[in-house]
């Protein structure tokens, strides 16, 4: 896997067929500056994706801010407008509970692992 940019070590990108897998490497997504930069990276990634098929591997995340949830929603909107889809995987029980509180589990398909997420397309 390769980092999106040398100074952007919080996201790793891998192309598997026509699906782009983005793995979050940070345990906490709470700092506004990091979330802004991550959001910009995700939007650039969406703009350059083939077919708008994205898997977001959230396995490393232990804490997430509502601001980051907003970035994920913006990503979903952009990808959906392109006719694509965003699938989440690696979501632990605490993060899953947060997604349910914000009713995001109705918007994003959530798969146990990366392989299952790749098969969801």
């Amino acid at each position: 896997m390769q980092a999106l940019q040398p100074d952007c070590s919080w996201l790793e990108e891998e192309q598997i067929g026509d699906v782009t897998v983005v793995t979050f490497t940070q345990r906490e997504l709470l700092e506004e500056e990091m979330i802004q930069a991550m959001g910009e990276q995700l939007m650039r990634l969406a703009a350059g994706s083939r077919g708008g098929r994205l898997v977001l591997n959230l396995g490393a995340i232990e804490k997430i801010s509502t601001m980051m949830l907003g970035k994920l929603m913006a990503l979903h909107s952009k990808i959906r407008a392109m006719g694509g889809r965003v699938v989440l995987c690696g979501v632990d029980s605490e993060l899953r509970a947060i997604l349910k509180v914000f009713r995001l589990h109705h918007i994003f398909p959530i798969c146990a692992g990366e392989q299952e997420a790749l098969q969801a397309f």
Side-chain angles (χ1 to χ4, degrees):
M1 284 191 222
Q2 65 186 57
L4 295 177
Q5 284 185 354
D7 63 340
C8 184
S9 61
W10 48 75
L11 295 175
E12 293 178 344
E13 171 196 356
E14 182 179 11
Q15 194 67 39
I16 301 175
D18 63 349
V19 179
T20 302
V21 178
V22 178
T23 302
F24 288 74
T25 60
Q26 298 296 304
R27 293 184 314 163
E28 297 183 353
L29 302 179
L30 303 173
E31 296 176 27
E32 184 175 343
E33 189 174 301
M34 177 176 37
I35 291 169
Q36 282 294 103
M38 244 187 227
E40 291 170 14
Q41 285 291 334
L42 288 169
M43 287 303 169
R44 280 196 290 277
L45 183 63
S49 73
R50 293 183 261 160
R53 295 176 172 205
L54 285 180
V55 170
L56 300 182
N57 186 332
L58 306 179
I61 299 175
E62 295 175 2
K63 295 181 181 179
I64 193 167
S65 73
T66 54
M67 183 180 180
M68 188 65 214
L69 294 177
K71 298 293 181 190
L72 295 179
M73 285 301 304
L75 177 66
H76 164 76
S77 296
K78 182 171 185 135
I79 291 289
R80 186 160 184 156
M82 296 169 51
R85 193 165 140 198
V86 178
V87 177
L88 307 181
C89 72
V91 179
D92 72 13
S93 58
E94 287 184 38
L95 184 53
R96 189 177 294 260
I98 291 168
L99 294 174
K100 283 185 177 181
V101 166
F102 290 96
R103 306 188 58 76
L104 298 181
H105 65 293
H106 293 298
I107 295 167
F108 295 103
I110 300 174
C111 298
E114 223 173 83
Q115 201 57 40
E116 182 184 337
L118 289 167
Q119 294 171 358
F121 291 101

